[in-house]
PDB file of all heavy atoms in Angstrom:
ATOM      1  N   VAL A  16      78.466-226.469 -95.814  1.00  0.00           N
ATOM      2  CA  VAL A  16      78.012-225.298 -96.443  1.00  0.00           C
ATOM      3  C   VAL A  16      76.576-224.895 -96.008  1.00  0.00           C
ATOM      4  O   VAL A  16      75.751-225.765 -96.073  1.00  0.00           O
ATOM      5  CB  VAL A  16      78.057-225.480 -97.894  1.00  0.00           C
ATOM      6  CG1 VAL A  16      77.596-224.295 -98.629  1.00  0.00           C
ATOM      7  CG2 VAL A  16      79.427-225.868 -98.387  1.00  0.00           C
ATOM      8  N   ARG A  17      76.397-223.727 -95.630  1.00  0.00           N
ATOM      9  CA  ARG A  17      74.977-223.251 -95.398  1.00  0.00           C
ATOM     10  C   ARG A  17      74.684-222.250 -96.603  1.00  0.00           C
ATOM     11  O   ARG A  17      75.380-221.372 -96.932  1.00  0.00           O
ATOM     12  CB  ARG A  17      74.737-222.414 -94.150  1.00  0.00           C
ATOM     13  CG  ARG A  17      73.389-221.969 -93.976  1.00  0.00           C
ATOM     14  CD  ARG A  17      72.981-221.409 -92.603  1.00  0.00           C
ATOM     15  NE  ARG A  17      73.578-220.078 -92.288  1.00  0.00           N
ATOM     16  CZ  ARG A  17      73.444-219.553 -91.212  1.00  0.00           C
ATOM     17  NH1 ARG A  17      72.859-220.218 -90.169  1.00  0.00           N
ATOM     18  NH2 ARG A  17      73.979-218.405 -90.908  1.00  0.00           N
ATOM     19  N   ASN A  18      73.538-222.705 -97.456  1.00  0.00           N
ATOM     20  CA  ASN A  18      73.101-221.901 -98.553  1.00  0.00           C
ATOM     21  C   ASN A  18      71.682-221.532 -98.411  1.00  0.00           C
ATOM     22  O   ASN A  18      70.819-222.483 -98.713  1.00  0.00           O
ATOM     23  CB  ASN A  18      73.415-222.631 -99.845  1.00  0.00           C
ATOM     24  CG  ASN A  18      72.993-221.892-101.046  1.00  0.00           C
ATOM     25  OD1 ASN A  18      72.786-220.730-101.039  1.00  0.00           O
ATOM     26  ND2 ASN A  18      72.953-222.653-102.135  1.00  0.00           N
ATOM     27  N   GLY A  19      71.356-220.488 -97.802  1.00  0.00           N
ATOM     28  CA  GLY A  19      69.928-220.209 -97.409  1.00  0.00           C
ATOM     29  C   GLY A  19      69.464-221.144 -96.358  1.00  0.00           C
ATOM     30  O   GLY A  19      70.029-221.114 -95.176  1.00  0.00           O
ATOM     31  N   THR A  20      68.458-221.885 -96.648  1.00  0.00           N
ATOM     32  CA  THR A  20      67.873-222.800 -95.674  1.00  0.00           C
ATOM     33  C   THR A  20      68.622-224.299 -95.845  1.00  0.00           C
ATOM     34  O   THR A  20      68.287-225.124 -95.101  1.00  0.00           O
ATOM     35  CB  THR A  20      66.378-223.040 -95.752  1.00  0.00           C
ATOM     36  OG1 THR A  20      66.003-223.432 -97.129  1.00  0.00           O
ATOM     37  CG2 THR A  20      65.737-221.741 -95.477  1.00  0.00           C
ATOM     38  N   SER A  21      69.395-224.365 -96.865  1.00  0.00           N
ATOM     39  CA  SER A  21      70.045-225.690 -97.165  1.00  0.00           C
ATOM     40  C   SER A  21      71.310-225.674 -96.423  1.00  0.00           C
ATOM     41  O   SER A  21      72.190-224.827 -96.320  1.00  0.00           O
ATOM     42  CB  SER A  21      70.381-225.730 -98.653  1.00  0.00           C
ATOM     43  OG  SER A  21      71.072-226.841 -98.972  1.00  0.00           O
ATOM     44  N   HIS A  22      71.531-226.902 -95.698  1.00  0.00           N
ATOM     45  CA  HIS A  22      72.724-227.219 -94.935  1.00  0.00           C
ATOM     46  C   HIS A  22      73.252-228.507 -95.414  1.00  0.00           C
ATOM     47  O   HIS A  22      72.635-229.529 -95.230  1.00  0.00           O
ATOM     48  CB  HIS A  22      72.415-227.176 -93.508  1.00  0.00           C
ATOM     49  CG  HIS A  22      71.850-225.962 -92.886  1.00  0.00           C
ATOM     50  ND1 HIS A  22      70.543-225.550 -93.240  1.00  0.00           N
ATOM     51  CD2 HIS A  22      72.292-224.943 -92.092  1.00  0.00           C
ATOM     52  CE1 HIS A  22      70.199-224.368 -92.673  1.00  0.00           C
ATOM     53  NE2 HIS A  22      71.334-224.008 -91.992  1.00  0.00           N
ATOM     54  N   LYS A  23      74.624-228.588 -95.823  1.00  0.00           N
ATOM     55  CA  LYS A  23      75.086-229.783 -96.424  1.00  0.00           C
ATOM     56  C   LYS A  23      76.591-229.934 -96.014  1.00  0.00           C
ATOM     57  O   LYS A  23      77.296-229.058 -95.903  1.00  0.00           O
ATOM     58  CB  LYS A  23      75.050-229.652 -97.967  1.00  0.00           C
ATOM     59  CG  LYS A  23      73.636-229.731 -98.531  1.00  0.00           C
ATOM     60  CD  LYS A  23      73.735-229.672-100.131  1.00  0.00           C
ATOM     61  CE  LYS A  23      72.191-229.743-100.585  1.00  0.00           C
ATOM     62  NZ  LYS A  23      72.215-229.769-102.038  1.00  0.00           N
ATOM     63  N   PHE A  24      76.861-231.285 -95.894  1.00  0.00           N
ATOM     64  CA  PHE A  24      78.248-231.817 -95.766  1.00  0.00           C
ATOM     65  C   PHE A  24      78.753-232.296 -97.086  1.00  0.00           C
ATOM     66  O   PHE A  24      77.913-232.828 -97.845  1.00  0.00           O
ATOM     67  CB  PHE A  24      78.415-232.970 -94.796  1.00  0.00           C
ATOM     68  CG  PHE A  24      78.742-232.591 -93.365  1.00  0.00           C
ATOM     69  CD1 PHE A  24      77.642-232.692 -92.399  1.00  0.00           C
ATOM     70  CD2 PHE A  24      79.903-232.029 -93.021  1.00  0.00           C
ATOM     71  CE1 PHE A  24      77.930-232.379 -90.990  1.00  0.00           C
ATOM     72  CE2 PHE A  24      80.143-231.677 -91.697  1.00  0.00           C
ATOM     73  CZ  PHE A  24      79.085-231.838 -90.675  1.00  0.00           C
ATOM     74  N   TYR A  25      79.973-231.918 -97.495  1.00  0.00           N
ATOM     75  CA  TYR A  25      80.627-232.492 -98.533  1.00  0.00           C
ATOM     76  C   TYR A  25      81.901-233.183 -98.103  1.00  0.00           C
ATOM     77  O   TYR A  25      82.739-232.531 -97.470  1.00  0.00           O
ATOM     78  CB  TYR A  25      80.976-231.438 -99.669  1.00  0.00           C
ATOM     79  CG  TYR A  25      79.850-230.897-100.308  1.00  0.00           C
ATOM     80  CD1 TYR A  25      79.232-229.670 -99.773  1.00  0.00           C
ATOM     81  CD2 TYR A  25      79.228-231.449-101.425  1.00  0.00           C
ATOM     82  CE1 TYR A  25      78.166-229.104-100.437  1.00  0.00           C
ATOM     83  CE2 TYR A  25      78.188-230.866-102.109  1.00  0.00           C
ATOM     84  CZ  TYR A  25      77.579-229.643-101.522  1.00  0.00           C
ATOM     85  OH  TYR A  25      76.501-229.066-102.183  1.00  0.00           O
ATOM     86  N   ILE A  26      81.993-234.437 -98.135  1.00  0.00           N
ATOM     87  CA  ILE A  26      83.132-235.187 -97.826  1.00  0.00           C
ATOM     88  C   ILE A  26      84.040-235.663 -99.165  1.00  0.00           C
ATOM     89  O   ILE A  26      83.398-236.353 -99.890  1.00  0.00           O
ATOM     90  CB  ILE A  26      83.012-236.410 -96.875  1.00  0.00           C
ATOM     91  CG1 ILE A  26      82.037-235.974 -95.771  1.00  0.00           C
ATOM     92  CG2 ILE A  26      84.259-237.020 -96.343  1.00  0.00           C
ATOM     93  CD1 ILE A  26      82.580-234.869 -94.839  1.00  0.00           C
ATOM     94  N   ASN A  27      85.263-235.183 -99.255  1.00  0.00           N
ATOM     95  CA  ASN A  27      86.017-235.431-100.432  1.00  0.00           C
ATOM     96  C   ASN A  27      85.311-235.024-101.632  1.00  0.00           C
ATOM     97  O   ASN A  27      85.297-235.696-102.653  1.00  0.00           O
ATOM     98  CB  ASN A  27      86.353-236.920-100.486  1.00  0.00           C
ATOM     99  CG  ASN A  27      87.395-237.401 -99.370  1.00  0.00           C
ATOM    100  OD1 ASN A  27      87.990-236.460 -98.736  1.00  0.00           O
ATOM    101  ND2 ASN A  27      87.445-238.618 -99.091  1.00  0.00           N
ATOM    102  N   GLY A  28      84.547-233.942-101.556  1.00  0.00           N
ATOM    103  CA  GLY A  28      83.879-233.367-102.723  1.00  0.00           C
ATOM    104  C   GLY A  28      82.512-233.983-102.991  1.00  0.00           C
ATOM    105  O   GLY A  28      81.933-233.541-103.944  1.00  0.00           O
ATOM    106  N   VAL A  29      81.985-234.933-102.152  1.00  0.00           N
ATOM    107  CA  VAL A  29      80.813-235.552-102.494  1.00  0.00           C
ATOM    108  C   VAL A  29      79.751-235.265-101.411  1.00  0.00           C
ATOM    109  O   VAL A  29      80.147-235.338-100.177  1.00  0.00           O
ATOM    110  CB  VAL A  29      80.949-237.110-102.590  1.00  0.00           C
ATOM    111  CG1 VAL A  29      79.620-237.782-102.831  1.00  0.00           C
ATOM    112  CG2 VAL A  29      81.927-237.384-103.750  1.00  0.00           C
ATOM    113  N   GLU A  30      78.516-234.886-101.796  1.00  0.00           N
ATOM    114  CA  GLU A  30      77.586-234.436-100.775  1.00  0.00           C
ATOM    115  C   GLU A  30      77.261-235.656 -99.951  1.00  0.00           C
ATOM    116  O   GLU A  30      77.027-236.826-100.555  1.00  0.00           O
ATOM    117  CB  GLU A  30      76.322-234.047-101.466  1.00  0.00           C
ATOM    118  CG  GLU A  30      75.125-233.619-100.426  1.00  0.00           C
ATOM    119  CD  GLU A  30      73.891-233.315-101.078  1.00  0.00           C
ATOM    120  OE1 GLU A  30      73.974-232.733-102.180  1.00  0.00           O
ATOM    121  OE2 GLU A  30      72.776-233.488-100.474  1.00  0.00           O
ATOM    122  N   ASP A  31      77.247-235.625 -98.623  1.00  0.00           N
ATOM    123  CA  ASP A  31      76.975-236.750 -97.722  1.00  0.00           C
ATOM    124  C   ASP A  31      76.372-236.144 -96.443  1.00  0.00           C
ATOM    125  O   ASP A  31      77.004-235.873 -95.500  1.00  0.00           O
ATOM    126  CB  ASP A  31      78.217-237.509 -97.315  1.00  0.00           C
ATOM    127  CG  ASP A  31      77.929-238.701 -96.597  1.00  0.00           C
ATOM    128  OD1 ASP A  31      76.742-239.050 -96.248  1.00  0.00           O
ATOM    129  OD2 ASP A  31      78.925-239.392 -96.051  1.00  0.00           O
ATOM    130  N   GLY A  32      75.029-236.027 -96.445  1.00  0.00           N
ATOM    131  CA  GLY A  32      74.354-235.456 -95.311  1.00  0.00           C
ATOM    132  C   GLY A  32      73.814-234.043 -95.566  1.00  0.00           C
ATOM    133  O   GLY A  32      74.544-233.156 -95.938  1.00  0.00           O
ATOM    134  N   SER A  33      72.429-233.863 -95.381  1.00  0.00           N
ATOM    135  CA  SER A  33      71.904-232.553 -95.702  1.00  0.00           C
ATOM    136  C   SER A  33      70.607-232.375 -94.882  1.00  0.00           C
ATOM    137  O   SER A  33      70.010-233.406 -94.486  1.00  0.00           O
ATOM    138  CB  SER A  33      71.673-232.389 -97.195  1.00  0.00           C
ATOM    139  OG  SER A  33      70.623-233.211 -97.739  1.00  0.00           O
ATOM    140  N   ALA A  34      70.282-231.132 -94.692  1.00  0.00           N
ATOM    141  CA  ALA A  34      68.992-230.821 -93.933  1.00  0.00           C
ATOM    142  C   ALA A  34      68.565-229.521 -94.461  1.00  0.00           C
ATOM    143  O   ALA A  34      69.384-228.671 -94.849  1.00  0.00           O
ATOM    144  CB  ALA A  34      69.086-230.829 -92.447  1.00  0.00           C
ATOM    145  N   THR A  35      67.296-229.260 -94.418  1.00  0.00           N
ATOM    146  CA  THR A  35      66.717-227.949 -94.736  1.00  0.00           C
ATOM    147  C   THR A  35      65.887-227.348 -93.473  1.00  0.00           C
ATOM    148  O   THR A  35      65.052-227.973 -92.876  1.00  0.00           O
ATOM    149  CB  THR A  35      65.732-228.093 -95.909  1.00  0.00           C
ATOM    150  OG1 THR A  35      66.433-228.545 -97.027  1.00  0.00           O
ATOM    151  CG2 THR A  35      65.165-226.688 -96.261  1.00  0.00           C
ATOM    152  N   TYR A  36      66.379-226.200 -93.005  1.00  0.00           N
ATOM    153  CA  TYR A  36      65.785-225.531 -92.011  1.00  0.00           C
ATOM    154  C   TYR A  36      66.114-224.076 -91.960  1.00  0.00           C
ATOM    155  O   TYR A  36      67.148-223.657 -92.583  1.00  0.00           O
ATOM    156  CB  TYR A  36      66.078-226.160 -90.530  1.00  0.00           C
ATOM    157  CG  TYR A  36      67.605-226.272 -90.239  1.00  0.00           C
ATOM    158  CD1 TYR A  36      68.271-225.273 -89.648  1.00  0.00           C
ATOM    159  CD2 TYR A  36      68.383-227.423 -90.635  1.00  0.00           C
ATOM    160  CE1 TYR A  36      69.702-225.398 -89.320  1.00  0.00           C
ATOM    161  CE2 TYR A  36      69.678-227.557 -90.267  1.00  0.00           C
ATOM    162  CZ  TYR A  36      70.325-226.494 -89.704  1.00  0.00           C
ATOM    163  OH  TYR A  36      71.672-226.552 -89.458  1.00  0.00           O
ATOM    164  N   THR A  37      65.301-223.265 -91.253  1.00  0.00           N
ATOM    165  CA  THR A  37      65.600-221.826 -91.226  1.00  0.00           C
ATOM    166  C   THR A  37      66.948-221.537 -90.566  1.00  0.00           C
ATOM    167  O   THR A  37      67.322-222.093 -89.602  1.00  0.00           O
ATOM    168  CB  THR A  37      64.548-221.205 -90.327  1.00  0.00           C
ATOM    169  OG1 THR A  37      63.284-221.333 -90.934  1.00  0.00           O
ATOM    170  CG2 THR A  37      64.699-219.627 -90.336  1.00  0.00           C
ATOM    171  N   ALA A  38      67.695-220.634 -91.239  1.00  0.00           N
ATOM    172  CA  ALA A  38      69.062-220.460 -90.774  1.00  0.00           C
ATOM    173  C   ALA A  38      69.143-219.755 -89.460  1.00  0.00           C
ATOM    174  O   ALA A  38      68.396-218.760 -89.117  1.00  0.00           O
ATOM    175  CB  ALA A  38      69.826-219.481 -91.740  1.00  0.00           C
ATOM    176  N   SER A  39      69.866-220.438 -88.560  1.00  0.00           N
ATOM    177  CA  SER A  39      70.005-219.840 -87.150  1.00  0.00           C
ATOM    178  C   SER A  39      70.877-218.575 -87.254  1.00  0.00           C
ATOM    179  O   SER A  39      71.752-218.414 -88.031  1.00  0.00           O
ATOM    180  CB  SER A  39      70.763-220.851 -86.259  1.00  0.00           C
ATOM    181  OG  SER A  39      70.026-222.036 -86.126  1.00  0.00           O
ATOM    182  N   ASN A  40      70.779-217.712 -86.286  1.00  0.00           N
ATOM    183  CA  ASN A  40      71.513-216.516 -86.185  1.00  0.00           C
ATOM    184  C   ASN A  40      72.865-216.851 -85.295  1.00  0.00           C
ATOM    185  O   ASN A  40      72.719-216.964 -84.115  1.00  0.00           O
ATOM    186  CB  ASN A  40      70.677-215.358 -85.445  1.00  0.00           C
ATOM    187  CG  ASN A  40      71.529-213.912 -85.347  1.00  0.00           C
ATOM    188  OD1 ASN A  40      72.467-213.866 -86.124  1.00  0.00           O
ATOM    189  ND2 ASN A  40      71.123-213.201 -84.554  1.00  0.00           N
ATOM    190  N   LEU A  41      73.831-217.086 -86.082  1.00  0.00           N
ATOM    191  CA  LEU A  41      75.052-217.539 -85.455  1.00  0.00           C
ATOM    192  C   LEU A  41      75.908-216.277 -85.058  1.00  0.00           C
ATOM    193  O   LEU A  41      76.429-215.676 -85.822  1.00  0.00           O
ATOM    194  CB  LEU A  41      75.894-218.393 -86.465  1.00  0.00           C
ATOM    195  CG  LEU A  41      75.115-219.696 -86.855  1.00  0.00           C
ATOM    196  CD1 LEU A  41      75.931-220.442 -87.880  1.00  0.00           C
ATOM    197  CD2 LEU A  41      74.884-220.490 -85.581  1.00  0.00           C
ATOM    198  N   THR A  42      76.082-216.116 -83.729  1.00  0.00           N
ATOM    199  CA  THR A  42      76.485-214.777 -83.257  1.00  0.00           C
ATOM    200  C   THR A  42      77.934-214.806 -82.533  1.00  0.00           C
ATOM    201  O   THR A  42      78.483-213.826 -82.228  1.00  0.00           O
ATOM    202  CB  THR A  42      75.578-214.256 -82.113  1.00  0.00           C
ATOM    203  OG1 THR A  42      75.434-215.263 -81.114  1.00  0.00           O
ATOM    204  CG2 THR A  42      74.216-213.899 -82.779  1.00  0.00           C
ATOM    205  N   ARG A  43      78.514-216.040 -82.456  1.00  0.00           N
ATOM    206  CA  ARG A  43      79.806-216.242 -81.693  1.00  0.00           C
ATOM    207  C   ARG A  43      80.898-215.646 -82.591  1.00  0.00           C
ATOM    208  O   ARG A  43      80.834-215.654 -83.883  1.00  0.00           O
ATOM    209  CB  ARG A  43      80.118-217.728 -81.390  1.00  0.00           C
ATOM    210  CG  ARG A  43      79.053-218.368 -80.657  1.00  0.00           C
ATOM    211  CD  ARG A  43      78.939-217.766 -79.257  1.00  0.00           C
ATOM    212  NE  ARG A  43      79.446-218.878 -78.235  1.00  0.00           N
ATOM    213  CZ  ARG A  43      79.204-218.646 -77.042  1.00  0.00           C
ATOM    214  NH1 ARG A  43      78.701-217.645 -76.389  1.00  0.00           N
ATOM    215  NH2 ARG A  43      79.699-219.625 -76.223  1.00  0.00           N
ATOM    216  N   ASP A  44      81.927-215.096 -82.060  1.00  0.00           N
ATOM    217  CA  ASP A  44      82.972-214.340 -82.737  1.00  0.00           C
ATOM    218  C   ASP A  44      84.324-214.890 -82.577  1.00  0.00           C
ATOM    219  O   ASP A  44      85.369-214.137 -82.685  1.00  0.00           O
ATOM    220  CB  ASP A  44      82.882-212.813 -82.398  1.00  0.00           C
ATOM    221  CG  ASP A  44      83.047-212.577 -80.925  1.00  0.00           C
ATOM    222  OD1 ASP A  44      83.366-213.515 -80.113  1.00  0.00           O
ATOM    223  OD2 ASP A  44      83.067-211.312 -80.497  1.00  0.00           O
ATOM    224  N   VAL A  45      84.469-216.079 -82.083  1.00  0.00           N
ATOM    225  CA  VAL A  45      85.650-216.882 -81.995  1.00  0.00           C
ATOM    226  C   VAL A  45      85.621-218.171 -82.829  1.00  0.00           C
ATOM    227  O   VAL A  45      84.559-218.668 -82.952  1.00  0.00           O
ATOM    228  CB  VAL A  45      86.215-217.057 -80.565  1.00  0.00           C
ATOM    229  CG1 VAL A  45      86.315-215.763 -79.767  1.00  0.00           C
ATOM    230  CG2 VAL A  45      85.197-217.950 -79.742  1.00  0.00           C
ATOM    231  N   PHE A  46      86.850-218.631 -83.100  1.00  0.00           N
ATOM    232  CA  PHE A  46      86.900-219.925 -83.808  1.00  0.00           C
ATOM    233  C   PHE A  46      87.877-220.852 -83.189  1.00  0.00           C
ATOM    234  O   PHE A  46      89.016-220.365 -82.756  1.00  0.00           O
ATOM    235  CB  PHE A  46      87.249-219.734 -85.261  1.00  0.00           C
ATOM    236  CG  PHE A  46      86.909-220.912 -86.186  1.00  0.00           C
ATOM    237  CD1 PHE A  46      85.526-221.269 -86.523  1.00  0.00           C
ATOM    238  CD2 PHE A  46      87.903-221.769 -86.603  1.00  0.00           C
ATOM    239  CE1 PHE A  46      85.310-222.325 -87.383  1.00  0.00           C
ATOM    240  CE2 PHE A  46      87.612-222.923 -87.413  1.00  0.00           C
ATOM    241  CZ  PHE A  46      86.319-223.138 -87.757  1.00  0.00           C
ATOM    242  N   VAL A  47      87.548-222.154 -83.017  1.00  0.00           N
ATOM    243  CA  VAL A  47      88.444-223.050 -82.328  1.00  0.00           C
ATOM    244  C   VAL A  47      88.610-224.295 -83.210  1.00  0.00           C
ATOM    245  O   VAL A  47      87.665-224.770 -83.729  1.00  0.00           O
ATOM    246  CB  VAL A  47      87.844-223.534 -80.996  1.00  0.00           C
ATOM    247  CG1 VAL A  47      88.770-224.368 -80.156  1.00  0.00           C
ATOM    248  CG2 VAL A  47      87.356-222.326 -80.152  1.00  0.00           C
ATOM    249  N   LEU A  48      89.821-224.728 -83.265  1.00  0.00           N
ATOM    250  CA  LEU A  48      90.188-226.064 -83.936  1.00  0.00           C
ATOM    251  C   LEU A  48      90.485-227.059 -82.813  1.00  0.00           C
ATOM    252  O   LEU A  48      91.267-226.860 -82.066  1.00  0.00           O
ATOM    253  CB  LEU A  48      91.333-225.942 -84.891  1.00  0.00           C
ATOM    254  CG  LEU A  48      91.429-224.836 -85.889  1.00  0.00           C
ATOM    255  CD1 LEU A  48      92.789-224.925 -86.758  1.00  0.00           C
ATOM    256  CD2 LEU A  48      90.120-224.945 -86.800  1.00  0.00           C
ATOM    257  N   GLY A  49      89.921-228.255 -82.980  1.00  0.00           N
ATOM    258  CA  GLY A  49      90.213-229.365 -82.153  1.00  0.00           C
ATOM    259  C   GLY A  49      89.689-229.394 -80.704  1.00  0.00           C
ATOM    260  O   GLY A  49      89.966-230.420 -80.008  1.00  0.00           O
ATOM    261  N   ALA A  50      88.751-228.569 -80.366  1.00  0.00           N
ATOM    262  CA  ALA A  50      88.052-228.584 -79.081  1.00  0.00           C
ATOM    263  C   ALA A  50      86.763-227.810 -79.112  1.00  0.00           C
ATOM    264  O   ALA A  50      86.486-227.004 -79.974  1.00  0.00           O
ATOM    265  CB  ALA A  50      88.928-227.969 -77.957  1.00  0.00           C
ATOM    266  N   VAL A  51      85.919-228.197 -78.151  1.00  0.00           N
ATOM    267  CA  VAL A  51      84.463-227.729 -78.193  1.00  0.00           C
ATOM    268  C   VAL A  51      84.456-226.321 -77.625  1.00  0.00           C
ATOM    269  O   VAL A  51      83.607-225.476 -77.998  1.00  0.00           O
ATOM    270  CB  VAL A  51      83.586-228.730 -77.417  1.00  0.00           C
ATOM    271  CG1 VAL A  51      83.839-228.676 -75.910  1.00  0.00           C
ATOM    272  CG2 VAL A  51      82.055-228.284 -77.591  1.00  0.00           C
ATOM    273  N   TYR A  52      85.320-225.991 -76.609  1.00  0.00           N
ATOM    274  CA  TYR A  52      85.244-224.698 -76.044  1.00  0.00           C
ATOM    275  C   TYR A  52      86.753-224.033 -76.181  1.00  0.00           C
ATOM    276  O   TYR A  52      87.748-224.726 -76.512  1.00  0.00           O
ATOM    277  CB  TYR A  52      85.002-224.766 -74.512  1.00  0.00           C
ATOM    278  CG  TYR A  52      83.705-225.416 -74.105  1.00  0.00           C
ATOM    279  CD1 TYR A  52      83.690-226.598 -73.410  1.00  0.00           C
ATOM    280  CD2 TYR A  52      82.515-224.830 -74.509  1.00  0.00           C
ATOM    281  CE1 TYR A  52      82.449-227.187 -73.052  1.00  0.00           C
ATOM    282  CE2 TYR A  52      81.320-225.393 -74.178  1.00  0.00           C
ATOM    283  CZ  TYR A  52      81.318-226.497 -73.462  1.00  0.00           C
ATOM    284  OH  TYR A  52      80.164-227.002 -73.140  1.00  0.00           O
ATOM    285  N   THR A  53      86.822-222.701 -75.830  1.00  0.00           N
ATOM    286  CA  THR A  53      88.136-221.991 -75.808  1.00  0.00           C
ATOM    287  C   THR A  53      88.870-222.489 -74.710  1.00  0.00           C
ATOM    288  O   THR A  53      90.115-222.004 -74.451  1.00  0.00           O
ATOM    289  CB  THR A  53      87.951-220.577 -75.857  1.00  0.00           C
ATOM    290  OG1 THR A  53      87.102-220.108 -74.704  1.00  0.00           O
ATOM    291  CG2 THR A  53      87.304-220.053 -77.210  1.00  0.00           C
ATOM    292  N   ASN A  54      88.431-223.338 -73.703  1.00  0.00           N
ATOM    293  CA  ASN A  54      89.296-223.783 -72.691  1.00  0.00           C
ATOM    294  C   ASN A  54      89.501-225.267 -72.769  1.00  0.00           C
ATOM    295  O   ASN A  54      89.824-226.029 -71.837  1.00  0.00           O
ATOM    296  CB  ASN A  54      88.618-223.562 -71.266  1.00  0.00           C
ATOM    297  CG  ASN A  54      87.290-224.118 -71.083  1.00  0.00           C
ATOM    298  OD1 ASN A  54      86.782-224.672 -72.106  1.00  0.00           O
ATOM    299  ND2 ASN A  54      86.757-224.074 -69.879  1.00  0.00           N
ATOM    300  N   GLY A  55      89.284-225.727 -73.969  1.00  0.00           N
ATOM    301  CA  GLY A  55      89.555-227.298 -74.277  1.00  0.00           C
ATOM    302  C   GLY A  55      88.284-228.094 -74.129  1.00  0.00           C
ATOM    303  O   GLY A  55      87.110-227.591 -74.158  1.00  0.00           O
ATOM    304  N   THR A  56      88.455-229.364 -73.860  1.00  0.00           N
ATOM    305  CA  THR A  56      87.463-230.385 -73.616  1.00  0.00           C
ATOM    306  C   THR A  56      86.941-230.921 -74.989  1.00  0.00           C
ATOM    307  O   THR A  56      86.898-230.218 -75.916  1.00  0.00           O
ATOM    308  CB  THR A  56      86.335-230.090 -72.679  1.00  0.00           C
ATOM    309  OG1 THR A  56      85.503-229.117 -73.272  1.00  0.00           O
ATOM    310  CG2 THR A  56      86.890-229.572 -71.386  1.00  0.00           C
ATOM    311  N   GLU A  57      86.553-232.176 -74.930  1.00  0.00           N
ATOM    312  CA  GLU A  57      86.117-232.842 -76.158  1.00  0.00           C
ATOM    313  C   GLU A  57      87.027-232.737 -77.267  1.00  0.00           C
ATOM    314  O   GLU A  57      86.567-232.332 -78.346  1.00  0.00           O
ATOM    315  CB  GLU A  57      84.560-232.447 -76.524  1.00  0.00           C
ATOM    316  CG  GLU A  57      83.649-232.788 -75.359  1.00  0.00           C
ATOM    317  CD  GLU A  57      82.205-232.496 -75.639  1.00  0.00           C
ATOM    318  OE1 GLU A  57      81.871-232.396 -76.911  1.00  0.00           O
ATOM    319  OE2 GLU A  57      81.363-232.437 -74.798  1.00  0.00           O
ATOM    320  N   THR A  58      88.273-232.966 -77.003  1.00  0.00           N
ATOM    321  CA  THR A  58      89.203-232.659 -77.878  1.00  0.00           C
ATOM    322  C   THR A  58      89.488-233.722 -79.040  1.00  0.00           C
ATOM    323  O   THR A  58      89.360-234.826 -78.954  1.00  0.00           O
ATOM    324  CB  THR A  58      90.644-232.354 -77.291  1.00  0.00           C
ATOM    325  OG1 THR A  58      90.832-233.401 -76.364  1.00  0.00           O
ATOM    326  CG2 THR A  58      90.622-231.109 -76.441  1.00  0.00           C
ATOM    327  N   PHE A  59      89.972-233.172 -80.144  1.00  0.00           N
ATOM    328  CA  PHE A  59      90.184-234.045 -81.400  1.00  0.00           C
ATOM    329  C   PHE A  59      91.626-234.750 -81.215  1.00  0.00           C
ATOM    330  O   PHE A  59      92.540-234.129 -80.636  1.00  0.00           O
ATOM    331  CB  PHE A  59      90.207-233.121 -82.627  1.00  0.00           C
ATOM    332  CG  PHE A  59      90.441-233.822 -83.889  1.00  0.00           C
ATOM    333  CD1 PHE A  59      89.347-234.701 -84.439  1.00  0.00           C
ATOM    334  CD2 PHE A  59      91.707-233.787 -84.626  1.00  0.00           C
ATOM    335  CE1 PHE A  59      89.630-235.337 -85.631  1.00  0.00           C
ATOM    336  CE2 PHE A  59      91.848-234.362 -85.772  1.00  0.00           C
ATOM    337  CZ  PHE A  59      90.795-235.275 -86.307  1.00  0.00           C
ATOM    338  N   ASP A  60      91.598-236.025 -81.811  1.00  0.00           N
ATOM    339  CA  ASP A  60      92.976-236.762 -81.833  1.00  0.00           C
ATOM    340  C   ASP A  60      93.130-236.970 -83.239  1.00  0.00           C
ATOM    341  O   ASP A  60      92.562-237.821 -83.900  1.00  0.00           O
ATOM    342  CB  ASP A  60      92.791-238.011 -81.044  1.00  0.00           C
ATOM    343  CG  ASP A  60      94.024-238.803 -80.894  1.00  0.00           C
ATOM    344  OD1 ASP A  60      95.018-238.233 -81.356  1.00  0.00           O
ATOM    345  OD2 ASP A  60      93.940-239.906 -80.364  1.00  0.00           O
ATOM    346  N   GLY A  61      94.203-236.364 -83.841  1.00  0.00           N
ATOM    347  CA  GLY A  61      94.642-236.569 -85.200  1.00  0.00           C
ATOM    348  C   GLY A  61      95.310-235.348 -85.761  1.00  0.00           C
ATOM    349  O   GLY A  61      95.935-234.560 -84.997  1.00  0.00           O
TER     350      GLY A  61
END
């Protein structure tokens, strides 16, 4: 979750890992599950 400058992970509903920094301008317009690029690589196993 990004909430303003707050960036947090929740694992099984419990906060685990956070950082505060100025929100980056995230401009990409595609979404990928299981790989780092739209042509694969660094792929997930599970």
